[in-house]
Amino acid sequence: MEEKLNKNNRKIIFGSVVYKSAEKYLKDFFTSLEQQGNELFSILLLNDDIGDADLKSIVSPYALHIECIEYRNRTPVQLRIELLRQAKLRQADLLILGDCDDYFSHNRVQNIINTYENHLDKAFFYNDLVNMNGERLMPELPKEVIRFEDIGEYNFLGLSNTAVNIDKLSYEFIESLKEYHYYIFDWYFYSRILLLGLSGVKVQNCNTIYRLHENNLAGIAEMSYADIKREIMVKKQLYECLEKYNFYYALKRQQYQDKNQLEILDEQKQHYWWNLTK
């Protein structure tokens, strides 16, 4: 990848994983990146299963600086960890994340970079999620996330509305993420960062346009028996993986195993992810 630095000599990479079942969404994805109005960032794509010639044909119309790496026959978690590792290998300062089935407000990259430059002590940055009608999908996000307990029972930090200060993460930390063998990686990843004593801050006035479809692992949950049952399973898996880092998670896992300690939240219009129970 050609060295590409912004005005403050920072190396900014926008990273994503592309895959065949999302091919029909890639036009919106790349168009929104082309409209960012900031030429001083590169795009790093991990290609899961799109043919090489097909992917070249898809990206060729766009005036973007793109590097594609084939990384086939891997799980979604393995792909995301490899994306972090490749950004670290390329000595990125900031890795902006975005799912290829989503797209972004025209100012997302610039606003993230501005916030990062003003908060170099922060480990991650996050912005609002909206639907295709521009309606916010979650309750208002907090201005800062400081403690791991802040996302102990729900999450709003996804791999399409966040960016990571790569300088804050060691190779050893990234390698250690491979211990996680379940599906909901974003919640685990940001919990691990917070467990290091690091924190994050919200990026104002920009959005990720979150596309709701059948392949979204989290989606937007509804108050149903199936969603509540799935949420409890996801929480117990997360807590099991994290309890060696802090007793808080062992306690949470015990609480979710005891139905008498479980509370179903009142019906409400909006939830964070995994926010139906406590």
Side-chain angles (χ1 to χ4, degrees):
M1 180 181 284
E2 176 189 337
E3 189 73 7
K4 205 171 181 65
L5 303 174
N6 75 352
K7 64 182 180 181
N8 292 320
N9 292 320
R10 316 280 190 201
K11 189 170 186 180
I12 313 295
I13 292 178
F14 189 106
S16 189
V17 174
V18 293
Y19 49 95
K20 195 163 187 62
S21 63
E23 203 168 326
K24 59 188 173 182
Y25 307 127
L26 293 181
K27 181 178 180 181
D28 287 343
F29 173 76
F30 286 118
T31 298
S32 75
L33 290 181
E34 193 174 46
Q35 292 172 345
Q36 292 300 311
N38 186 329
E39 296 181 354
L40 296 181
F41 69 97
S42 304
I43 297 172
L44 177 62
L45 302 177
L46 260 61
N47 180 14
D48 182 16
D49 59 356
I50 300 178
D52 185 51
D54 290 340
L55 186 55
K56 285 180 180 176
S57 175
I58 290 168
V59 304
S60 62
Y62 300 98
L64 294 166
H65 190 271
I66 300 174
E67 179 184 8
C68 301
I69 301 174
E70 289 195 11
Y71 199 64
R72 300 183 183 275
N73 301 315
R74 309 301 173 110
T75 68
V77 170
Q78 289 171 335
L79 285 158
R80 271 68 187 182
I81 294 172
E82 182 63 15
L83 186 60
L84 294 166
R85 194 179 77 86
Q86 291 292 337
K88 187 72 175 176
L89 285 171
R90 283 157 177 74
Q91 299 181 313
D93 294 295
L94 178 69
L95 174 65
I96 302 173
L97 295 163
D99 287 339
C100 74
D101 54 350
D102 296 331
Y103 56 104
F104 315 98
S105 63
H106 68 90
N107 59 348
R108 181 179 179 237
V109 167
Q110 187 63 67
N111 285 17
I112 289 175
I113 292 173
N114 291 345
T115 304
Y116 161 72
E117 293 289 358
N118 290 326
H119 298 276
L120 293 173
D121 60 315
K122 297 298 183 182
F124 60 89
F125 311 88
Y126 54 95
N127 57 264
D128 282 322
L129 289 160
V130 301
N131 64 20
M132 295 175 73
N133 295 321
E135 300 162 333
R136 197 164 61 191
L137 289 169
M138 292 183 175
E140 186 170 351
L141 304 185
K143 292 182 179 179
E144 286 187 293
V145 181
I146 298 172
R147 308 175 310 143
F148 57 84
E149 296 96 332
D150 292 341
I151 57 168
E153 293 205 78
Y154 52 79
N155 185 39
F156 46 81
L157 303 170
L159 298 182
S160 200
N161 74 320
T162 54
V164 183
N165 185 344
I166 292 292
D167 288 335
K168 297 290 186 182
L169 306 184
S170 67
Y171 284 108
E172 292 76 16
F173 175 84
I174 293 171
E175 285 295 314
S176 76
L177 300 173
K178 293 178 180 178
E179 71 179 19
Y180 185 75
H181 298 297
Y182 296 111
Y183 297 101
I184 309 303
F185 177 68
D186 51 3
W187 197 4
Y188 166 80
F189 173 54
Y190 286 106
S191 297
R192 285 286 311 275
I193 291 178
L194 290 163
L195 281 160
L196 294 175
L198 299 170
S199 60
V201 65
K202 185 181 178 185
V203 180
Q204 302 292 342
N205 303 318
C206 64
N207 298 312
T208 293
I209 294 87
Y210 186 64
R211 196 186 299 271
L212 295 169
H213 59 82
E214 66 279 1
N215 293 325
N216 263 336
L217 287 176
I220 299 298
E222 298 177 354
M223 191 64 72
S224 68
Y225 175 77
D227 280 350
I228 290 170
K229 184 177 178 182
R230 181 170 180 248
E231 177 174 309
I232 293 169
M233 178 194 72
V234 166
K235 286 181 170 179
K236 288 195 290 188
Q237 290 173 343
L238 176 77
Y239 300 149
E240 177 189 349
C241 290
L242 294 176
E243 62 185 8
K244 69 180 182 181
Y245 298 103
N246 194 286
F247 181 71
Y248 168 87
Y249 295 104
L251 180 60
K252 283 295 167 195
R253 184 158 72 99
Q254 291 169 11
Q255 290 172 343
Y256 276 87
Q257 287 172 335
D258 183 353
K259 292 182 180 178
N260 293 323
Q261 296 191 58
L262 189 62
E263 180 181 345
I264 308 299
L265 298 180
D266 292 337
E267 188 78 42
Q268 53 182 318
K269 264 191 171 183
Q270 294 177 322
H271 304 273
Y272 298 124
W273 289 307
W274 320 113
N275 189 204
L276 302 178
T277 60
K278 70 175 185 178

